[in-house]
């Protein structure tokens, strides 16, 4: 395959032209889905796998926690490596690790082998998460980046919604091991498609130095704009993990609804995120990225504070809970692609590193919010507090980042 395969010619001026590589958006979605599918698809199979391997539920839950940790820290490695070596070889290597981890998990004889296989799978799967975003930034025009990221996020929302259902069906019909065989096969197919259809989109320096990793991350962490957009992006988007963790307890224990309805409620919240992505992709050209960023997060702030007030007044109902949570996720869906674009555009020479550090921040904030929502004996109150604090911090971080960005622009 030639390096410029699937490229488009862009005019830079009279008598000058350059070749800008193109990456099929459906392929980038498939690449990114590999990492998220493996996290959600195995959850329904935990009890069956525990019984089959003679392991405790706590040990099996470690297969999920370890996977999230692998996704978080792996992104810190792939980002700067892709800036040095290019996106394509790192992505293909990650997909190969992902497939090997899936096959190893499918034939794991004990829980310890399964844990090691899951870590390998995560370290491969996170390549798609970070590099898919970086490739969008590499290939899209400046006025198209947010629109394409919003479309990519919208398509990615299908994964978390469908994966548990697929996992349940496979576990009930063929057994939990077939989940990993399916994931490994998906990884292998994606690897072949990447090799055939995806050109190199980065401009790697060709050398790797450990010191450069630290230097690149120091540059990003010393940028108030990047820190603001990354922290705000985590607080305004992945804080909704608190809703996912608390929803079963809120609706079944406090609002006395059957467990069978919880899946429907969570599905509606995913619709909220998807609708927010659609709104951003449609309005980005007319409203502007800054207004969508602040406005989307402001909707989340208002809904989280209203939810907290309703809980404190003792007036929580299914309608109030679902409606206010829906508005929160709608705001998260609006601000998510805008925050990501702002963060990875701070320094065009560090797109991969910025995407990796942004993804790590999202995972870290999501994990923190999920753990905090388990405190106390009132899940609704804990969730409302976590959401309100996170959304407000996100608003502060966004405003500070935009103010610094504007000051830097005026200085030049």
């Amino acid at each position: 395959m030639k390096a410029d395969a699937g490229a488009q010619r862009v005019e830079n001026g009279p008598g000058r032209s350059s070749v800008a590589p193109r990456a099929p958006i459906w392929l980038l979605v498939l690449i990114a889905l590999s990492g998220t599918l493996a996290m959600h698809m195995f959850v329904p199979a935990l009890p069956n796998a525990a019984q089959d391997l003679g392991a405790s539920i706590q040990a099996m839950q470690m297969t999920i926690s370890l996977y999230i940790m692998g996704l978080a820290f792996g992104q810190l490695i792939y980002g700067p490596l892709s800036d040095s070596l290019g996106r394509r070889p790192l992505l293909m290597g990650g997909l190969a690790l992902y497939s090997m981890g899936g096959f190893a998990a499918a034939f794991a004889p004990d829980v310890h082998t399964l844990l090691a296989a899951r870590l390998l799978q995560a370290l491969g799967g996170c390549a798609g998460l970070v590099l898919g975003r970086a490739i969008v930034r590499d290939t899209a025009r400046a006025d198209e980046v947010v629109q394409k990221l919003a479309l990519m996020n919208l398509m990615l929302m299908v994964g978390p919604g469908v994966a548990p259902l697929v996992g349940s069906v496979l576990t009930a019909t063929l057994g939990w091991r077939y989940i990993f065989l399916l994931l490994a096969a998906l990884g292998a197919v994606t690897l072949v498609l990447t090799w055939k259809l995806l050109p190199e989109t980065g401009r790697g320096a060709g050398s790797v130095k450990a010191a450069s990793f630290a230097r690149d991350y120091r540059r990003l962490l010393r940028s108030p704009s990047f820190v603001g957009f990354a922290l705000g992006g985590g607080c305004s988007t992945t804080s909704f993990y608190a809703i996912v963790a608390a929803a079963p307890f809120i609706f079944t224990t406090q609002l006395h609804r059957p467990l069978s309805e919880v899946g429907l409620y969570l599905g509606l919240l995913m619709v909220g995120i998807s609708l927010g992505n659609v709104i951003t992709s449609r309005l980005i050209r007319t409203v502007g990225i800054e207004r969508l960023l602040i406005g989307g997060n402001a909707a989340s702030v208002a809904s989280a504070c209203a939810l907290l007030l309703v809980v404190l007044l003792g007036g929580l109902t299914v309608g109030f809970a679902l409606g206010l949570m829906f508005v929160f996720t709608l705001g998260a869906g609006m601000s998510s692609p805008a925050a990501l674009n702002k963060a990875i555009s701070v320094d065009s020479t560090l797109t991969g590193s910025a995407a990796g550090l942004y993804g790590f921040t999202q995972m870290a904030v999501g994990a923190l919010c999920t753990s905090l929502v388990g405190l106390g004996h009132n899940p609704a109150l804990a969730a409302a507090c976590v959401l309100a604090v996170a959304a407000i911090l996100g608003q502060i971080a966004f405003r500070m980042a935009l103010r610094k960005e504007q000051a830097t622009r005026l200085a030049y």
Side-chain angles (χ1 to χ4, degrees):
M1 175 178 175
K2 297 182 179 180
D4 62 348
Q8 62 180 342
R9 189 163 295 278
V10 179
E11 295 297 329
N12 289 334
R16 298 176 61 195
S17 67
S18 62
V19 175
R22 290 185 300 181
I25 190 67
W26 63 265
L27 179 55
L28 296 180
V29 170
L30 187 61
I31 289 168
L33 269 178
S34 60
T36 57
L37 283 179
M39 179 168 59
H40 297 281
M41 196 177 292
F42 186 52
V43 173
L46 289 177
N48 298 69
Q51 183 178 8
D52 187 32
L53 297 175
S56 65
I57 293 295
Q58 290 75 18
M60 294 308 302
Q61 287 175 334
M62 275 296 296
T63 65
I64 304 299
S65 302
L66 195 63
Y67 190 87
I68 295 175
M69 290 173 59
L71 286 182
F73 285 97
Q75 292 184 71
L76 293 177
I77 299 173
Y78 282 106
L81 272 181
S82 72
D83 287 333
S84 298
L85 302 178
R87 319 291 187 215
R88 193 167 180 266
L90 268 296
L91 183 56
M92 292 177 65
L95 289 170
L97 284 179
Y98 178 80
S99 293
M100 288 189 291
F103 279 117
F107 296 101
D110 52 58
V111 69
H112 302 293
T113 305
L114 180 61
L115 286 170
R118 286 287 281 172
L119 180 59
L120 182 64
Q121 190 180 39
L123 292 175
C126 66
L129 290 176
V130 61
L131 298 183
R133 294 165 171 175
I135 291 171
V136 169
R137 180 66 181 83
D138 291 338
T139 57
R141 296 198 308 265
D143 60 341
E144 293 179 335
V145 175
V146 176
Q147 192 172 29
K148 287 196 172 184
L149 287 174
L151 177 61
M152 187 175 176
N153 285 346
L154 174 61
M155 297 171 73
L156 282 173
M157 284 299 103
V158 176
V162 175
L165 177 61
V166 175
S168 298
V169 172
L170 285 176
T171 302
T173 56
L174 300 174
W176 64 270
R177 295 181 185 274
Y178 280 85
I179 293 175
F180 293 111
L181 288 176
L182 175 62
L183 292 171
L186 177 63
V189 170
T190 306
L191 174 60
V192 173
L193 291 173
T194 300
W195 174 58
K196 291 284 189 180
L197 303 176
L198 189 68
E200 178 56 68
T201 65
R203 299 177 180 177
S207 61
V208 179
K209 296 181 180 179
S212 67
F213 280 34
R215 183 183 66 247
D216 292 347
Y217 281 132
R218 277 199 304 269
R219 282 175 58 184
L220 290 171
L221 292 174
R222 287 175 179 173
S223 167
S225 296
F226 175 82
V227 172
F229 291 130
L231 183 60
C235 289
S236 65
T237 58
T238 50
S239 58
F240 89 91
Y241 285 179
I243 297 177
V244 176
F249 302 99
I250 294 174
F251 289 112
T252 60
T253 304
Q254 296 184 264
L255 298 176
H256 310 294
R257 303 305 303 168
L259 186 60
S260 58
E261 293 183 5
V262 175
L264 174 62
Y265 298 150
L266 291 177
L268 290 174
L269 298 183
M270 293 299 176
V271 171
I273 297 177
S274 302
L275 182 58
N277 290 159
V278 171
I279 291 173
T280 292
S281 64
R282 294 292 179 87
L283 298 182
I284 186 63
R285 297 181 186 275
T286 56
V287 176
I289 186 172
E290 288 84 4
R291 292 178 64 183
L292 287 171
L293 182 66
I294 295 296
N297 180 244
S300 295
V301 171
S303 61
C305 291
L307 179 63
L308 178 58
L309 181 62
V310 169
V311 172
L312 291 174
L313 294 177
L316 187 66
T317 63
V318 172
F320 271 130
L322 192 59
L324 293 172
M325 289 178 181
F326 182 87
V327 175
F328 185 94
T329 56
L330 176 70
M334 290 178 62
S335 59
S336 176
L340 173 58
N341 176 58
K342 282 289 189 179
I344 65 178
S345 301
V346 167
D347 190 332
S348 60
T349 65
L350 299 177
T351 299
S353 299
L357 190 53
Y358 183 90
F360 173 83
T361 304
Q362 279 193 307
M363 288 289 179
V365 171
L368 177 62
C369 290
T370 302
S371 62
L372 290 177
V373 83
L375 299 177
H377 303 288
N378 188 329
L381 180 59
C385 289
V386 169
L387 294 179
V389 172
I392 292 171
L393 287 177
Q395 185 75 189
I396 295 172
F398 284 149
R399 290 184 178 276
M400 291 178 62
L402 289 172
R403 193 177 299 118
K404 181 62 178 179
E405 184 184 63
Q406 184 179 22
T408 302
R409 192 183 301 122
L410 291 175
Y412 288 95

